[in-house]
């Protein structure tokens, strides 16, 4: 198998693209889930018990979705660092951005 370095991966070459892509991949479902789907469910639960949702709940849900999205982007950025990629190849090859140390075939190849 060819000798690869962490610098060869697109994740390491374009770390901010990786972080932004991950933020979109996580942010869209986080905001939809926490701001579109969850409030009506919570309101139905609250209506069952005869109370009303606090006004600050929407602000809290926006903060939660923002925190989830920012954390995922930060983790994607850290994961794109060459030393982290090399460590991942060594200890968690199934999470590596390429197959440099893995013999596992990718579907469709």
């Amino acid at each position: 198998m060819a000798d690869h370095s962490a610098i060869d991966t697109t994740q390491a070459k374009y770390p901010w693209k990786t972080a932004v892509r991950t933020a979109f991949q996580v942010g869209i479902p986080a905001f939809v889930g926490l701001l579109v789907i969850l409030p009506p469910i919570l309101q139905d639960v609250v209506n069952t018990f005869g109370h009303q949702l606090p006004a600050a709940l929407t602000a809290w849900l926006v903060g939660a979705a923002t925190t989830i999205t920012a954390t995922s982007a930060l983790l994607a950025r850290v994961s794109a660092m060459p030393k982290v990629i090399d460590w991942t190849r060594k200890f968690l090859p199934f999470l590596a951005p390429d197959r440099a140390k893995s013999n596992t075939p990718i579907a469709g190849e």
Side-chain angles (χ1 to χ4, degrees):
M1 189 170 283
D3 187 27
H4 296 282
S5 71
I7 306 301
D8 294 341
T9 65
T10 57
Q11 184 179 9
K13 287 181 183 177
Y14 309 106
W16 287 109
K17 286 184 180 183
T18 301
V20 170
R21 183 175 58 243
T22 300
F24 275 98
Q25 292 169 343
V26 173
I28 291 170
F31 278 92
V32 168
L34 292 175
L35 298 175
V36 175
I37 298 171
L38 188 60
I41 293 171
L42 291 175
Q43 189 62 54
D44 284 344
V45 170
V46 168
N47 288 341
T48 302
F49 298 103
H51 301 288
Q52 191 164 354
L53 290 174
L57 179 64
T58 300
W60 187 91
L61 291 174
V62 168
T66 302
T67 301
I68 291 168
T69 303
T71 302
S72 69
L74 175 66
L75 291 173
R77 178 65 179 94
V78 169
S79 296
M81 296 170 66
K83 288 184 180 182
V84 175
I85 292 171
D86 287 338
W87 184 90
T88 304
R89 283 182 182 145
K90 184 175 181 180
F91 296 106
L92 299 169
F94 60 94
L95 292 178
D98 58 17
R99 297 185 311 152
K101 302 265 182 179
S102 173
N103 293 325
T104 306
I106 294 177
E109 285 189 358

